[in-house]
Amino acid sequence: LAAANQLKYVDAAPFADARLRMIDDVTLSLAGGPYENGFAIGTTSVDPAAWFFKAHFHQDPVVPGSLGLESFFQLLKLYAARRWNLGPDTEFMMPVIAGSSSTTEPKHEWVYRGQVVPRDQIVTVSATIQHVDDAAHELTADGFLSVDGRVVYQMKNFSLGCVD
């Protein structure tokens, strides 16, 4: 962590704008971590007035699972942008389509253990980079999403590719 960079999530192309941004503050390293390929950790404060609480589950507001999963990909997009110096016209593939790289396992796993609700305070998302294919611009990672210290999602073997 000591060698990692601290940054704010980018609010410009090719990244999510403020409406879909699921993380704010990021700690990112292109090296280290359990696989020696780096990691990214993002945090955001839960906003009880966020649009998705009103739109998901009538009278039982939660962060939609798809937006929780999106937060993992937002971390990988930042990692990829830093690693490969990507520009605003970059297109991302999530997940990487089977067969596009001989090193990317196409199957990912999502373990769901809870929800993010309006009374929660802080969401923390982490991704450890398992594999990097610099030639194909593809990443594979594992990660956790926790809220107020409780792990609510685990993603295994998720991938991201990009074309610049």
Side-chain angles (χ1 to χ4, degrees), residues 11 26-27 50 94 108 112:
D11 193 6
V26 178
T27 302
M94 307 163 300
H108 68 268
Y112 171 80

Side-chain angles (χ1 to χ4, degrees), residues 7 23 39 49 60 63 68 71 76-77 95-96 104 115 135 141-142 144-145:
L7 54 134
I23 52 178
F39 60 89
D60 185 20
V63 172
S71 62
L76 290 190
K77 288 175 183 181
V96 174
T104 301
Q115 302 173 329
D142 289 329
F144 294 95
L145 183 146

Side-chain angles (χ1 to χ4, degrees), residues 19-22 46-58 60-72 74 110 112 114-118 120 123 125 145 152-153:
R19 187 174 163 106
L20 287 177
R21 186 178 60 236
M22 300 307 297
V46 176
D47 177 4
W51 65 269
F52 43 78
F53 284 125
K54 297 174 192 143
H56 195 59
F57 291 160
H58 179 64
D60 185 20
V62 301
V63 172
S66 58
L67 292 180
L69 298 181
E70 171 65 18
S71 62
F72 288 109
Q74 289 181 8
W110 175 31
Y112 171 80
Q115 302 173 329
V116 179
V117 296
D120 291 327
V123 173
V125 185
L145 183 146
V152 294
Y153 301 163

Side-chain angles (χ1 to χ4, degrees), residues 6-151:
Q6 306 292 318
L7 54 134
K8 293 285 187 187
Y9 195 80
V10 181
D11 193 6
F15 306 105
D17 64 15
R19 187 174 163 106
L20 287 177
R21 186 178 60 236
M22 300 307 297
I23 52 178
D24 294 313
D25 298 302
V26 178
T27 302
L28 187 140
S29 178
L30 299 179
Y35 304 103
E36 297 297 325
N37 291 316
F39 60 89
I41 302 167
T43 60
T44 191
S45 296
V46 176
D47 177 4
W51 65 269
F52 43 78
F53 284 125
K54 297 174 192 143
H56 195 59
F57 291 160
H58 179 64
Q59 296 182 346
D60 185 20
V62 301
V63 172
S66 58
L67 292 180
L69 298 181
E70 171 65 18
S71 62
F72 288 109
F73 290 112
Q74 289 181 8
L75 285 178
L76 290 190
K77 288 175 183 181
L78 280 175
Y79 177 96
R82 283 285 171 114
R83 184 171 188 99
W84 298 310
N85 196 29
L86 302 175
D89 295 327
T90 299
E91 295 181 28
F92 293 104
M93 299 174 293
M94 307 163 300
V96 174
I97 304 302
S100 65
S101 171
S102 61
T103 58
T104 301
E105 171 62 41
K107 185 177 180 181
H108 68 268
E109 181 180 349
W110 175 31
V111 179
Y112 171 80
R113 297 182 178 115
Q115 302 173 329
V116 179
V117 296
R119 71 178 175 275
D120 291 327
Q121 301 295 307
I122 302 291
V123 173
T124 302
V125 185
S126 62
T128 56
I129 311 304
Q130 288 179 8
H131 184 268
V132 177
D133 184 333
D134 287 318
H137 283 189
E138 294 177 357
L139 306 170
T140 306
D142 289 329
F144 294 95
L145 183 146
S146 62
V147 61
D148 299 336
R150 299 180 325 269
V151 174

